[in-house]
Amino acid sequence: MNNPDETVWLALRNINFSRAGRSILSDISLRFCSRELILLTGHNGSGKTTLLRILAGLLNPDSATIEFNGNKLTGGWRRNLGILRESCCYLHQQPYLFDGSVFDNVAYGLRRRGIDGSEIERMVAEALEATALGHLRRRHCGELSSGEKQRVAMVRAWVLTPRLLLLDEPLANMDKPSRSKCLALINQMQEDRISVVLTSHDPQQGELHISRHLHLYQGRMERKNLPAGVDRSPLPESRTRPVTYAGDKTE
Amino acid sequence: METLSEASLQALYLLFTGDRELWTIIGISFTVSLRAILFAAPFALICAFMLAYTQFPGRRLLISFFNTALSIPAVVVGLTLYMTLSRAGPLGNLRLLFTQEAMIIGQILLCFPILVAMGHSALQATDRRVWETALTLGATPLRAVITVIHETRFGLTAALVAAFGRIIAEVGSSMMVGGNILNHTRNIPTAIALETSKGSFAQGIALGLVLLLLALALNLALTSIQGKGAVSP
């Protein structure tokens, strides 16, 4: 078994969502502990992306209740959106990088937090170096490969150390070296006490320390046993381990 | 009657010798149109953003209204405004007829639909992921709006240039509500119309050259801004 913290910091219950009279999600309940890596699988149109967008506070469900740090939040969904947006960060399947340099993109969220400019410089430089993206620091985002864009977007989310990171098919259409680098980064996030939800069509995510496997079928949640081949070994205790890549350094 | 070449030479002479009357007309044109666009742009941007990013009853009807308003002739705006501002009109007591303020109001009415329609098109075409990415990275809704505007700046700049081009060159509204009064409400298009009707082409050509140079400068500026941008995914 993996070793996520046992304390549930966020629980969402009875999430229902429908659009144009069609039910997309029915009575979904989820709970999150720190350091958890949840694999969410499902066919196309099963509601994976919708669920992630609801968790990120980007979409309003028809009904749902939120428990945060053990307290049930009152006042309706919209009133508590701020808490979800502060705690969760969502990455699109094809992440959007703002028009600007890699540095500008990674610094975007830090600037929104009002962090001092020199501190932002240091944090961005450290994060880029730790993920072997330091050489792209001044590069315009329009000049990056799709694998580099995906990693820059992940670093942009990682530097904010959200409590929950929602990755929508992050490994789709990636070649082996890029995939390997992304997997290493996801493992690093987990070590940094970030809960990660990862959606995929493919339940085989061999290089990840998956804690739970959830499956969406026609808008309903099914808990699955971890598939064969999934790494069930405990997470390494070290939280400062540098990210290492199985693949080569060039893309 | 002057030949075209004589009139053109005379026009250049008037421009380069700093003919006071000519430059006063140019100055009025620019101050009136700049004030109109500066006043209209922020409200039009908010309107365009609301149309692109929010849902409310009558939204589609409003979009159709602004698209239709793009083709309203300046003279019809001028006529309507003339009737509204004239002594017997509902706003006659404001005594705005034949003032620069009346010209500004007319030009605001003309440029507002262009700014909204083109701004809305640009914002509508912007990737929705910009808005969501900004929010999920911790931006407040206001900061997310600024980010979306920044990412859409080329389309929005094009809307500004098109709107400014329309009002700096319009005759109908300025002639009717401004009255074409020398040193007061005579701008480039109304002066060209007047000088041409008098058979004095030199000043008309000189003013026409200024308008053409302005159009060229605006387009060069826009191309330069667009050239510096690169498309993100």
Side-chain angles (χ1 to χ4, degrees):
Chain A
M1 276 293 291
N2 295 339
N3 57 343
D5 295 352
E6 292 301 320
T7 318
V8 175
W9 64 271
L10 177 68
L12 292 110
R13 298 190 203 286
N14 312 112
I15 302 171
N16 287 289
F17 182 82
S18 58
R19 182 158 278 179
R22 192 172 75 88
S23 173
I24 312 249
L25 297 174
S26 300
D27 205 22
I28 305 265
S29 294
L30 288 165
R31 54 173 178 75
F32 299 98
C33 307
S34 298
R35 253 185 147 202
E36 244 188 336
L37 174 53
I38 300 170
L39 174 65
L40 178 63
T41 54
H43 300 297
N44 283 341
S46 58
K48 301 189 296 291
T49 299
T50 305
L51 181 58
L52 292 198
R53 284 155 57 84
I54 288 173
L55 293 174
L58 298 172
L59 208 56
N60 299 327
D62 301 337
S63 63
T65 54
I66 310 173
E67 278 178 33
F68 190 73
N69 288 336
N71 302 315
K72 188 173 177 180
L73 301 181
T74 54
W77 183 268
R78 283 172 189 270
R79 209 168 156 187
N80 296 306
L81 268 183
I83 288 176
L84 281 181
R85 286 189 185 154
E86 276 172 28
S87 318
C88 308
C89 190
Y90 170 71
L91 248 81
H92 295 87
Q93 186 173 348
Q94 288 179 312
Y96 187 91
L97 296 183
F98 300 120
D99 185 19
S101 66
V102 168
F103 175 87
D104 292 335
N105 268 275
V106 179
Y108 183 91
L110 298 171
R111 286 183 178 138
R112 303 292 80 80
R113 290 189 175 177
I115 297 172
D116 181 61
S118 55
E119 181 66 5
I120 289 176
E121 285 266 349
R122 188 190 62 75
M123 290 171 81
V124 174
E126 272 184 21
L128 289 174
E129 287 304 326
T131 50
L133 290 168
H135 61 292
L136 299 176
R137 186 183 148 96
R138 297 282 164 214
R139 184 87 59 86
H140 192 281
C141 287
E143 299 166 13
L144 302 179
S145 71
S146 57
E148 287 169 339
K149 280 176 186 166
Q150 184 69 262
R151 280 159 60 213
V152 168
M154 285 170 99
V155 173
R156 183 173 66 179
W158 180 42
V159 290
L160 297 174
T161 54
R163 293 188 77 174
L164 176 62
L165 187 64
L166 306 155
L167 305 175
D168 197 355
E169 304 262 3
L171 308 170
N173 307 320
M174 262 193 193
D175 60 11
K176 210 173 169 188
S178 295
R179 184 185 165 91
S180 187
K181 288 170 186 174
C182 280
L183 289 173
L185 188 51
I186 293 169
N187 279 330
Q188 176 67 41
M189 288 170 176
Q190 201 182 0
E191 284 177 39
D192 289 344
R193 303 187 65 78
I194 297 172
S195 314
V196 180
V197 179
L198 173 95
T199 68
S200 176
H201 295 294
D202 179 14
Q204 302 292 335
Q205 303 289 338
E207 297 163 63
L208 292 172
H209 308 280
I210 292 170
S211 325
R212 274 191 286 158
H213 177 198
L214 303 172
H215 185 73
L216 266 177
Y217 180 71
Q218 293 184 342
R220 291 186 175 274
M221 191 66 87
E222 297 172 353
R223 182 164 182 167
K224 291 231 168 187
N225 291 324
L226 292 175
V230 165
D231 184 356
R232 293 154 195 258
S233 62
L235 276 173
E237 282 308 313
S238 161
R239 303 237 163 107
T240 53
R241 190 185 66 156
V243 183
T244 52
Y245 301 118
D248 53 6
K249 276 206 155 187
T250 52
E251 291 203 317
Chain B
M1 183 169 160
E2 303 160 280
T3 63
L4 186 61
S5 55
E6 280 172 352
S8 302
L9 282 174
Q10 177 69 12
L12 290 174
Y13 176 78
L14 286 173
L15 272 179
F16 290 110
T17 53
D19 182 75
R20 197 183 147 270
E21 189 179 308
L22 185 80
W23 283 99
T24 306
I25 290 167
I26 294 168
I28 289 169
S29 238
F30 275 80
T31 51
V32 166
S33 293
L34 275 175
R35 279 150 73 192
I37 203 126
L38 285 176
F39 188 83
F43 295 102
L45 190 60
I46 292 169
C47 207
F49 201 92
M50 298 283 283
L51 289 172
Y53 276 80
T54 60
Q55 294 289 338
F56 55 88
R59 176 179 159 271
R60 283 180 179 277
L61 199 69
L62 209 55
I63 293 170
S64 299
F65 167 77
F66 281 114
N67 285 331
T68 309
L70 287 177
S71 51
I72 288 184
V75 74
V76 173
V77 171
L79 173 67
T80 313
L81 197 57
Y82 184 94
M83 288 164 68
T84 310
L85 296 179
S86 62
R87 282 284 175 88
L91 298 179
N93 57 347
L94 295 178
R95 293 179 182 259
L96 285 175
L97 200 60
F98 305 136
T99 62
Q100 287 191 8
E101 284 70 27
M103 292 166 76
I104 291 170
I105 294 170
Q107 294 194 356
I108 287 172
L109 293 174
L110 281 168
C111 72
F112 199 80
I114 299 175
L115 290 169
V116 174
M118 286 185 70
H120 165 250
S121 290
L123 289 165
Q124 191 77 49
T126 308
D127 201 317
R128 288 279 150 162
R129 291 175 302 165
V130 180
W131 172 253
E132 293 184 352
T133 303
L135 286 180
T136 202
L137 292 173
T140 59
L142 179 64
R143 191 62 185 71
V145 169
I146 295 169
T147 302
V148 171
I149 289 171
H150 182 260
E151 296 292 307
T152 321
R153 61 192 182 281
F154 303 132
L156 295 176
T157 313
L160 267 180
V161 171
F164 190 72
R166 160 104 156 134
I167 58 174
I168 193 95
E170 68 84 20
V171 191
S173 171
S174 293
M175 185 73 94
M176 292 187 89
V177 299
N180 201 14
I181 303 163
L182 184 62
N183 296 329
H184 186 47
T185 58
R186 183 170 298 169
N187 64 7
I188 296 176
T190 60
I192 292 176
L194 178 73
E195 297 304 326
T196 307
S197 67
K198 283 173 12 189
S200 159
F201 297 115
Q203 202 178 43
I205 290 173
L207 291 166
L209 279 175
V210 173
L211 278 183
L212 275 175
L213 279 175
L214 168 78
L216 181 69
L218 283 175
N219 280 298
L220 285 177
L222 184 62
T223 313
S224 142
I225 292 170
Q226 286 173 334
K228 282 177 195 163
V231 179
S232 197

